[in-house]
């Protein structure tokens, strides 16, 4: 059986040949069959079909969720399309999701924490705060897990810690297969790192180094080493993309230092609790500052999408004024205003 021969150039140029379409490659009827489009549930995004619609495009005449709308309208002429925010009833959305899943048990639309987060409304134009729920309880609970931002002095210690970890050979010396006690190698390497860190501190600030390390053992400066290691851990929590190599080495060191036999030979602890906004305010006796309604303004996220530059600048000014108000109103001799600003900026 010979293979079918394709049409020549002359055949293609002859437009009056009705049989030309049948000479080569008949169309597949299965490909021409119209495909049934999946119906979009009412009130849901026409693109992903599984998220509640939040934006209506006047030119496209379709509803989108925020993610799909940003993806479709990010380039070209679609960037000029007029977009309108839709009023989404979360309770109806939850009810529609429950009906689709066929679950007989009633599901709660919001947890208590989410309700607290949405309990405060703020008008950028009037500057008024309206509390309608347990926002104070919600922000107090969240503050327990928000690390405190580093001060300028702490950032200097962070640079010294990174430099000491960069030159340390802790994992190379401890994990290598060799004769002798592994516990003693761990203790020796931990002390070596502390010695490097002490030398760097002394080189950067001679007076502070003399005060800390003159005629003193490592155990006498346990609080200082705990503070420096805690700064490194806190910085990593807030910046997961930083300290990629150094942080792994630090974690191995701190884990090994927690072993009973290592701790006994080392003579001091290396781990201290992470400083959070809640623990700092609680230790200074000003935890009640989180109950002020202006905290919602001072910690409000400013989103520039869909706003004019004037509106964004207005919200930034109101946020800064709220921070200054709280710093002055709740400052005490034990808790200066700078500490309150640091806590609010951390949130």
């Amino acid at each position: 059986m010979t293979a079918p021969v394709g049409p020549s150039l002359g055949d293609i140029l002859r437009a009056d040949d009705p049989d030309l379409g049948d000479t080569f490659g008949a169309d597949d009827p299965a490909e021409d069959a119209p495909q049934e489009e999946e119906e979009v549930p009412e009130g849901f995004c026409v693109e992903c079909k599984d998220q509640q619609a939040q934006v209506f495009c006047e030119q496209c005449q379709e509803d989108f969720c925020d993610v799909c709308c940003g993806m479709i309208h990010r380039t070209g002429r679609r960037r000029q399309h007029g977009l309108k925010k839709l009023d989404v009833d979360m309770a109806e959305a939850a009810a529609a999701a429950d009906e689709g899943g066929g679950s007989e048990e009633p599901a709660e639309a919001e947890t208590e924490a989410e309700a607290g987060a949405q309990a405060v409304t703020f008008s950028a134009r009037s500057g008024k705060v309206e509390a309608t729920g347990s926002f104070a309880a919600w922000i107090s609970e969240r503050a327990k897990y928000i690390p405190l931002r580093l001060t300028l002095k702490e950032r200097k210690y962070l640079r010294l810690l990174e430099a000491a970890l960069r030159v340390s050979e802790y994992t190379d010396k401890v994990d290598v297969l060799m004769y002798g006690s592994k516990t003693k190698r761990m203790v020796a390497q931990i002390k070596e790192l502390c010695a490097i860190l002490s030398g760097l501190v002394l080189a950067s600030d001679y007076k502070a180094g003399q005060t800390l390390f003159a005629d003193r053992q490592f155990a006498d400066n346990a609080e200082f080493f705990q503070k420096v290691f805690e700064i490194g851990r806190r910085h990593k929590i807030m910046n997961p993309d930083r300290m990629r190599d150094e942080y792994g080495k630090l974690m191995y060191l701190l884990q090994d230092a927690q072993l009973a036999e290592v701790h006994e030979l080392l003579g001091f602890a290396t781990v201290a609790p992470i400083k959070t906004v809640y623990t700092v305010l609680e230790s200074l006796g000003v935890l009640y500052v989180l109950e002020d309604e202006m905290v919602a303004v001072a910690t409000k996220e400013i989103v520039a999408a869909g706003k004019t530059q004037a509106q964004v600048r207005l919200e930034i000014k109101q946020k800064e004024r709220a921070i200054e108000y709280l710093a002055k109103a709740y400052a005490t001799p034990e808790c200066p205003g700078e500490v309150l600003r640091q806590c609010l900026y951390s949130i």
Side-chain angles (χ1 to χ4, degrees):
M1 182 177 179
T2 59
V5 179
S8 64
L9 180 60
D11 295 334
I12 295 175
L13 295 177
R14 288 201 310 270
D16 56 346
D17 190 351
D19 298 329
L20 180 60
D22 299 331
T23 58
F24 184 76
D27 294 335
D28 188 358
E31 295 181 357
D32 296 337
Q35 297 181 356
E36 295 183 1
E37 295 185 358
E38 182 181 354
E39 293 185 2
V40 180
E42 184 178 357
F44 282 75
C45 174
V46 298
E47 187 68 20
C48 61
K49 302 180 180 62
D50 60 356
Q51 295 294 324
Q52 187 74 15
Q54 298 167 314
V55 180
F56 174 74
C57 178
E58 296 178 344
Q59 280 71 26
C60 301
Q61 290 294 309
E62 290 178 331
D63 298 335
F64 300 93
C65 64
D66 285 335
V67 177
C68 293
C69 180
M71 177 185 67
I72 294 174
H73 295 84
R74 71 182 185 275
T75 57
R77 294 185 178 180
R78 291 186 178 181
R79 295 180 62 182
Q80 309 300 328
H81 285 192
L83 304 175
K84 287 186 177 180
K85 284 285 185 180
L86 298 176
D87 295 331
V88 181
D89 191 341
M90 299 303 295
E92 291 183 1
D98 291 341
E99 290 176 3
S103 175
E104 298 180 357
E105 298 181 0
E108 296 183 359
E110 297 174 339
T111 63
E112 294 182 1
E114 291 171 345
Q118 300 173 358
V120 173
T121 57
F122 169 67
S123 172
R125 192 169 296 279
S126 64
K128 295 182 179 179
V129 182
E130 297 180 359
T132 59
S134 56
F135 177 78
W138 175 79
I139 196 65
S140 298
E141 182 64 24
R142 281 209 62 188
K144 296 179 181 179
Y145 309 101
I146 300 177
L148 192 67
R149 290 180 66 176
L150 301 184
T151 62
L152 179 60
K153 185 176 181 180
E154 288 176 334
R155 291 184 183 278
K156 292 180 180 179
Y157 285 137
L158 174 66
R159 299 295 174 262
L160 297 179
L161 175 63
E162 289 179 331
L165 290 171
R166 198 170 293 119
V167 300
S168 174
E169 298 179 344
Y170 182 84
T171 51
D172 298 334
K173 296 289 183 66
V174 170
D175 295 335
V176 68
L177 182 61
M178 60 185 299
Y179 295 102
S181 173
K182 187 174 183 179
T183 301
K184 291 183 179 179
R185 292 203 305 273
M186 290 179 181
V187 174
Q189 290 302 311
I190 293 174
K191 287 186 176 181
E192 180 180 343
L193 177 65
C194 292
I196 296 173
L197 191 58
S198 303
L200 291 174
V201 172
L202 184 63
S204 62
D205 192 339
Y206 183 74
K207 290 184 178 180
Q210 270 193 329
T211 305
L212 284 171
F213 307 114
D215 300 327
R216 301 182 71 179
Q217 301 296 324
F218 290 122
D220 299 329
N221 294 310
E223 185 176 349
F224 170 77
F225 293 121
Q226 291 174 6
K227 174 184 175 181
V228 175
F229 292 146
E230 185 271 336
I231 290 172
R233 292 159 54 210
R234 180 156 36 111
H235 176 72
K236 181 64 175 179
I237 293 173
M238 295 184 291
N239 304 274
D241 59 322
R242 304 291 181 86
M243 295 179 64
R244 292 188 179 273
D245 298 330
E246 294 85 357
Y247 187 73
K249 197 179 298 184
L250 176 63
M251 285 296 99
Y252 281 122
L253 183 148
L254 295 179
Q255 289 175 6
D256 293 340
Q258 294 298 100
L259 298 175
E261 57 270 21
V262 175
H263 185 275
E264 183 179 356
L265 291 176
L266 191 60
F268 65 95
T270 57
V271 178
I274 295 291
K275 273 188 181 181
T276 63
V277 173
Y278 186 92
T279 56
V280 171
L281 294 177
E282 185 180 33
S283 63
L284 298 175
V286 291
L287 196 58
Y288 51 83
V289 69
L290 296 177
E291 299 177 3
D292 195 305
E293 295 175 355
M294 290 301 293
V295 174
V297 185
T299 60
K300 178 180 181 291
E301 181 183 7
I302 298 177
V303 181
K307 299 178 183 177
T308 63
Q309 291 185 358
Q311 289 176 324
V312 173
R313 286 196 296 268
L314 178 62
E315 291 187 11
I316 292 175
K317 287 182 179 179
Q318 290 175 338
K319 182 174 182 177
E320 294 294 335
R321 289 172 185 170
I323 293 175
E324 290 301 319
Y325 160 76
L326 293 170
K328 293 179 180 178
Y330 292 96
T332 63
E334 295 79 15
C335 180
E338 189 60 35
V339 176
L340 290 173
R341 290 190 192 92
Q342 184 185 8
C343 292
L344 292 171
Y345 281 123
S346 300
I347 297 176

